[in-house]
């Protein structure tokens, strides 16, 4: 038989604590108003003039903490209570006085603390603990006069900051969960990357090994005694524990290691991503037939198109440009852990290889549209791509990544107020609306509509939900865009 709904013991104790407060406040001759929804404050007290019973329009906020068990270090005379950090920050954030009422409902005993008075000292606030004197801090009729002195003045109004909002934040940091235990170094035959690259190009055995040149040395995770990297060595090869570099406190060694990680990552991805020196990013290579490529597919998520053509509306067979998804990377060590910091970017080419002559204009346009949901969707796509299991027939990667680091914070953002970042004009560009109009005109000049750039993201994750305030602006009628197949890579597709 299915179980019915149950009420927990802690819920009952909490309700008994509120009921005890209500009764004691009434005994004092004041009015208690419990809150229907508790966000760190359980109710408030309306103070009443004991001489003429007139309501004074003075209030005290109340938070109840009830337990039938003994509190820490409790004796007949006293006990200690430690406040939750988030609660304390909330209570102290406004101008309204807050009473913390701590009780044993089963014994019908309660005590009170003036939070603002007890934690006015920064050191006390840091400790978050208070010692309750049961004799002088009893919450009963004898406390009535003391409560009158705690109320906020009528002229001050009442302010309490918004209730704490716990949010899970996802960073742009991918932890490196594995890298080779050994690295190799040797005297280098040249200190110039172009010359070293030419030597490797002449080798029939081409590997995808990352290496760096620094201070007359060549360094790599790959064995420098083997081809093709042996042609870069001018002397004996040394083996070192990678941990010596990874954990070094020497800033120069740490920078060398970050450089080695960067080049190892580029080598790992050389079959799929291409380094763009001028843009300082890696972007997806074109497919062999210049057809559509999608990445980031998982159950319930469609992923994104990471390479596709943008075709002219006037001539659907003519390609205007190709769009490649791109990624920026930076390797950093934080608290003893190495991470790859990821950023999203785009690349536009005329033939899948050479940069499109209006690439800057397209980038300026699409960056204007990069709201939170677009960036978040791309970050999920990159996370899925970079953490997927390697192909059985592909060379083993030097670096293995975990998922983006997430953590809880006790502060939140009202999602409905979250919008795109303001456009930051260059020094030689007019600000705000003028700059946007200039971009719109430039896009129109090359036959690209601003909403068409939004359509480049119309294949985002199918199960993503965002507040209505974050939804993209209405697009133009999609003409035949939806009817076109992925193989034709129409202008509305990535």
């Amino acid at each position: 038989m299915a179980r019915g709904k149950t009420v927990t013991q802690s819920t009952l104790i909490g309700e008994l604590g509120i009921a005890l407060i209500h009764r004691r406040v009434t005994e004092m001759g004041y009015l208690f108003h419990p809150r229907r929804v508790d966000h760190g404050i359980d109710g408030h007290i309306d103070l009443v003039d004991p001489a003429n019973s007139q309501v004074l329009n003075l209030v005290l906020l109340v938070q109840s903490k009830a337990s039938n068990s003994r509190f820490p270090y409790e004796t007949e005379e006293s006990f200690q209570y430690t406040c939750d950090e988030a609660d304390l920050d909330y209570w102290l954030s406004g101008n309204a006085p807050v009473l913390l009422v701590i009780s044993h409902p089963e014994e019908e005993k309660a005590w009170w603390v003036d939070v603002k008075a007890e934690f006015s000292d920064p050191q006390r606030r840091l400790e978050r603990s208070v010692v309750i004197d049961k004799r002088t801090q009893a919450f009963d009729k004898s406390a009535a006069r003391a409560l009158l002195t705690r109320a906020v003045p009528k002229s001050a109004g009442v302010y309490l900051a918004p209730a704490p909002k716990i949010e899970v934040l996802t960073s742009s940091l991918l932890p490196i969960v594995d890298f080779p235990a050994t690295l190799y170094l040797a005297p280098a035959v040249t200190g110039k990357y172009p010359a070293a690259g030419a030597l490797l190009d002449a080798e029939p055995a081409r590997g995808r090994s990352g290496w760096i040149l620094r201070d007359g040395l060549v360094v790599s995770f790959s064995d420098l005694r083997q081809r093709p990297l042996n042609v870069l060595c001018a002397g004996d090869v040394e083996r070192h524990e990678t941990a010596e570099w990874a954990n070094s406190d020497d800033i120069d060694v740490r920078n060398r290691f970050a450089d080695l990680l960067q080049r190892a990552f580029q080598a790992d991805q050389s079959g799929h991503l291409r380094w763009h020196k001028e843009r300082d990013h890696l972007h997806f290579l074109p497919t062999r037939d210049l057809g559509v490529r999608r990445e980031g597919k998982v159950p319930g998520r469609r992923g994104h198109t990471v390479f596709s053509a943008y075709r002219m509306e006037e001539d659907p067979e003519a390609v205007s440009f190709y769009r490649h998804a791109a990624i920026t990377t930076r390797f950093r060590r934080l608290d003893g852990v190495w991470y790859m910091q990821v950023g999203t970017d785009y690349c536009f080419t005329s033939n899948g290889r050479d940069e499109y002559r209006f690439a800057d204009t397209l980038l300026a346009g699409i960056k204007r549209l990069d709201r939170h949901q677009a960036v978040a969707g791309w970050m999920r796509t990159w996370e899925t791509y970079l953490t997927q299991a390697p192909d059985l027939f592909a060379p083993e990667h030097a670096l293995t990544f975990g998922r983006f680091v997430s953590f809880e914070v006790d502060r939140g953002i009202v999602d409905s107020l979250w919008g795109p970042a303001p456009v930051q004009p260059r020094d030689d560009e007019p600000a705000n609306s003028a700059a946007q109009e200039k971009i719109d005109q430039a896009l129109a000049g090359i036959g690209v509509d601003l909403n068409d750039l939004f359509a480049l993201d119309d294949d985002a994750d199918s199960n993503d939900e965002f507040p209505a305030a974050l939804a993209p602006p209405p697009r133009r009628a999609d003409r035949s865009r939806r009817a076109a197949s992925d193989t034709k890579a129409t202008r509305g597709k990535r």
Side-chain angles (χ1 to χ4, degrees):
M1 184 175 66
R3 296 182 59 187
K5 295 183 178 180
T6 60
V7 177
T8 65
Q9 188 65 22
S10 61
T11 298
L12 292 175
I13 294 173
E15 290 298 313
L16 289 171
I18 295 295
L20 180 59
I21 292 173
H22 201 150
R23 188 164 68 253
R24 292 294 168 81
V25 170
T26 303
E27 291 170 354
M28 295 176 196
Y30 304 147
L31 302 175
F32 180 68
H33 304 276
R35 287 191 175 182
R36 186 177 63 83
V37 179
D38 170 20
H39 284 305
I41 294 295
D42 287 307
H44 73 271
I45 299 172
D46 267 329
L47 295 176
V48 177
D49 189 331
N52 55 24
S53 299
Q54 288 187 354
V55 178
L56 297 173
N57 195 24
L58 299 175
V59 299
L60 298 170
L61 302 184
V62 178
Q63 176 65 28
S64 172
K65 298 293 183 182
S67 174
N68 286 330
S69 302
R70 296 178 69 83
F71 294 113
Y73 309 107
E74 184 168 0
T75 66
E76 291 299 320
E77 292 79 27
S78 64
F79 63 88
Q80 179 177 306
Y81 187 83
T82 301
C83 301
D84 178 82
E85 184 174 7
D87 283 346
L88 190 57
D89 286 345
Y90 180 44
W91 298 333
L92 296 175
S93 61
N95 71 335
V98 178
L99 299 185
L100 174 61
V101 179
I102 308 168
S103 64
H104 286 322
E106 195 173 60
E107 301 175 12
E108 295 197 354
K109 294 180 179 179
W111 304 270
W112 66 283
V113 178
D114 181 342
V115 173
K116 294 287 183 67
E118 287 291 339
F119 295 102
S120 59
D121 180 77
Q123 183 60 37
R124 292 290 307 282
R125 180 170 180 166
L126 186 64
E127 294 170 353
R128 296 185 285 113
S129 292
V130 61
V131 176
I132 307 296
D133 186 323
K134 290 184 175 182
R135 294 164 297 181
T136 61
Q137 293 176 262
F139 190 72
D140 55 23
K141 192 173 182 178
S142 65
R145 184 172 295 277
L147 297 190
L148 276 174
T149 65
R150 262 67 179 184
V152 68
K154 286 183 283 189
S155 60
V158 175
Y159 169 77
L160 194 65
K165 180 180 180 182
I166 303 299
E167 284 200 356
V168 176
L169 299 185
T170 300
S171 71
S172 60
L173 300 173
L174 282 177
I176 303 176
V177 298
D178 192 28
F179 47 66
T182 303
L183 59 81
Y184 301 82
L185 59 87
V189 295
T190 177
K192 305 293 185 181
Y193 279 100
L199 290 172
L200 291 175
D201 288 340
E203 283 292 299
R206 297 297 307 280
R208 298 196 300 177
S209 304
W211 49 274
I212 63 170
L213 298 174
R214 187 72 69 93
D215 300 328
L217 299 173
V218 55
V219 186
S220 178
F221 288 125
S222 299
D223 192 342
L224 295 175
R225 297 169 297 185
Q226 307 295 324
R227 297 181 68 180
L229 293 181
N230 63 334
V231 300
L232 301 180
C233 302
D236 293 336
V237 175
E238 298 179 9
R239 296 179 55 179
H240 290 262
E241 295 294 323
T242 301
E244 295 177 17
W245 284 40
N247 301 327
S248 176
D249 292 327
D250 186 296
I251 186 65
D252 186 56
V253 174
R254 197 157 66 240
N255 288 340
R256 291 187 197 183
F257 190 67
D259 192 11
L260 180 59
L261 291 174
Q262 181 74 268
R263 291 181 178 271
F265 175 69
Q266 292 176 17
D268 283 346
Q269 299 297 327
S270 61
H272 302 278
L273 306 178
R274 174 192 292 147
W275 172 249
H276 193 307
K277 183 178 180 181
E278 288 72 24
R279 299 286 181 187
D280 197 26
H281 72 210
L282 289 157
H283 60 260
F284 274 97
L285 289 164
T287 54
R288 291 181 180 274
D289 61 355
L290 298 181
V292 172
R293 176 175 179 176
R294 297 179 70 88
E295 289 290 346
K297 297 181 187 177
V298 294
R301 185 183 299 165
R302 297 168 55 194
H304 279 87
T305 301
V306 297
F307 173 77
S308 68
Y310 185 102
R311 299 185 182 275
M312 302 296 292
E313 182 177 307
E314 299 76 13
D315 182 4
E317 297 301 319
V319 174
S320 178
F321 58 83
Y322 294 90
R323 197 220 51 178
H324 311 242
I327 184 175
T328 61
T329 59
R330 178 186 177 190
F331 287 85
R332 310 177 66 181
R333 193 181 75 184
L334 303 172
D335 291 333
V337 179
W338 279 94
Y339 299 91
M340 182 171 73
Q341 184 174 344
V342 173
T344 62
D345 204 358
Y346 307 89
C347 186
F348 298 93
T349 62
S350 57
N351 54 13
R353 181 184 63 258
D354 301 319
E355 187 166 75
Y356 184 51
R357 57 179 175 155
F358 299 115
D360 287 336
T361 300
L362 292 172
L363 279 170
I366 201 168
K367 288 296 184 181
R368 282 182 53 195
L369 305 175
D370 265 352
R371 293 192 176 198
H372 169 72
Q373 69 268 38
V375 175
W378 275 113
M379 294 294 275
R380 283 190 290 270
T381 295
W382 280 109
E383 179 187 55
T384 301
Y385 170 76
L386 293 171
T387 58
Q388 64 188 340
D391 190 296
L392 291 176
F393 302 101
E396 185 177 354
H397 287 175
L399 308 182
T400 304
F401 298 99
R403 297 196 173 276
F404 283 119
V405 175
S406 297
F407 50 92
E408 280 191 354
V409 294
D410 58 359
R411 296 292 185 274
I413 295 172
V414 180
D415 291 333
S416 61
L417 301 180
W418 184 262
V423 175
Q424 298 295 328
R426 299 193 305 267
D427 293 339
D428 60 344
E429 219 177 37
N432 300 329
S433 60
Q436 294 179 10
E437 183 177 352
K438 183 177 179 180
I439 293 173
D440 290 345
Q441 292 173 352
L443 290 172
I446 59 175
V448 177
D449 186 88
L450 190 63
N451 287 315
D452 287 335
L453 285 180
F454 236 133
L456 291 174
D457 270 334
D458 72 355
D459 59 349
D461 301 346
S462 59
N463 64 340
D464 286 347
E465 295 182 1
F466 297 95
L470 299 184
R475 299 180 183 144
R476 297 185 306 171
D478 59 8
R479 296 175 285 248
S480 59
R481 184 180 299 138
R482 296 290 184 185
S485 65
D486 274 352
T487 55
K488 282 202 167 188
T490 56
R491 65 185 303 181
K493 293 289 184 181
R494 276 199 175 93

